[in-house]
Amino acid sequence: MNIRLFCSRALRSLLTEHLISRGLVVGEAGDVALVERGQEAPEQGVVINFSPEDLGHLTDLFDTLAGRRDGLRQVIGGWRESKDTYELIPYDQILYVEAMGNSVYLVSATQQLNVKFKLYELEHSLRPKGFIRISKSLLVNIANVKEIVPWFGSRYVLHLTNNKELEVSRTYVKDFRVFLEL
């Protein structure tokens, strides 16, 4: 499938690399136009309008269309506030997801990205990928838990691969145990 891009310069290189890695061709003559909201859309052909926060859904769409869903590293994107850039991060690199105030952050060993999703939305979509809610404001990627320590008051303390500790609150212990089949 050939894709034409109509987007900001900041997203162009990111999207080009992302689409090419999925076996799609990016160029001036394409079957489908991928248009960032606010950009001029072509008058003819198939047009897909998107916002930067929709990149995860676009990834899923193109993976499905390319017939290459299996074996691809799944990614999600967010804004790195310190650089004001939109970046993609593979699910397996996310240590945990944290809600603070009105913001939700994906936290890896090297970065923290702000996403436009609510924590409950991510809880639903990421659970099949190994993420479990452990408190009112935290989802943890169970693949990045190094050790589970029983704690006082029927709680657990999780030691992550980056040596950070997170506590499973009593409210979420039962679901956590069911998730891990403990």
Side-chain angles (χ1 to χ4, degrees):
M1 178 183 303
N2 295 326
I3 308 290
R4 291 181 290 159
L5 295 177
F6 297 86
C7 59
S8 63
R9 294 181 81 206
L11 283 177
R12 181 173 297 279
S13 61
L14 175 77
L15 280 172
T16 300
E17 180 181 321
H18 196 61
L19 293 169
I20 289 172
S21 73
R22 280 157 172 71
L24 301 168
V25 178
V26 177
E28 295 301 316
D31 308 322
V32 176
L34 195 52
V35 181
E36 181 182 8
R37 283 194 178 42
Q39 299 288 325
E40 185 87 18
E43 294 182 18
Q44 295 181 351
V46 176
V47 175
I48 299 173
N49 288 303
F50 74 97
S51 293
E53 57 266 12
D54 297 331
L55 288 179
H57 299 296
L58 279 175
T59 299
D60 291 345
L61 172 66
F62 286 117
D63 286 349
T64 301
L65 291 175
R68 300 183 58 207
R69 176 137 278 331
D70 295 332
L72 287 177
R73 291 174 58 175
Q74 298 293 308
V75 296
I76 189 169
W79 289 96
R80 182 181 284 204
E81 294 173 339
S82 62
K83 292 185 178 180
D84 198 29
T85 58
Y86 191 84
E87 299 180 18
L88 298 176
I89 182 171
Y91 293 136
D92 61 352
Q93 289 182 13
I94 300 169
L95 297 172
Y96 59 94
V97 181
E98 183 172 22
M100 289 188 288
N102 292 328
S103 299
V104 176
Y105 297 94
L106 305 174
V107 179
S108 76
T110 59
Q111 61 188 344
Q112 179 173 307
L113 301 177
N114 185 340
V115 292
K116 301 296 181 193
F117 301 103
K118 303 286 186 205
L119 192 62
Y120 71 88
E121 294 170 330
L122 289 171
E123 178 182 15
H124 177 71
S125 64
L126 294 177
R127 187 170 179 113
K129 294 162 179 51
F131 288 77
I132 181 73
R133 191 165 197 150
I134 61 168
S135 74
K136 183 178 174 184
S137 61
L138 287 170
L139 301 175
V140 69
N141 183 352
I142 204 68
N144 287 313
V145 173
K146 181 172 55 172
E147 186 177 44
I148 301 170
V149 179
W151 204 244
F152 300 103
S154 301
R155 295 175 296 186
Y156 292 104
V157 172
L158 308 178
H159 294 263
L160 304 182
T161 54
N162 70 339
N163 295 322
K164 175 131 175 112
E165 292 182 355
L166 299 175
E167 183 181 311
V168 180
S169 72
R170 282 185 289 169
T171 306
Y172 295 92
V173 164
K174 183 177 180 183
D175 192 39
F176 182 77
R177 291 177 60 123
V178 169
F179 185 81
L180 291 179
E181 299 177 1
L182 295 176

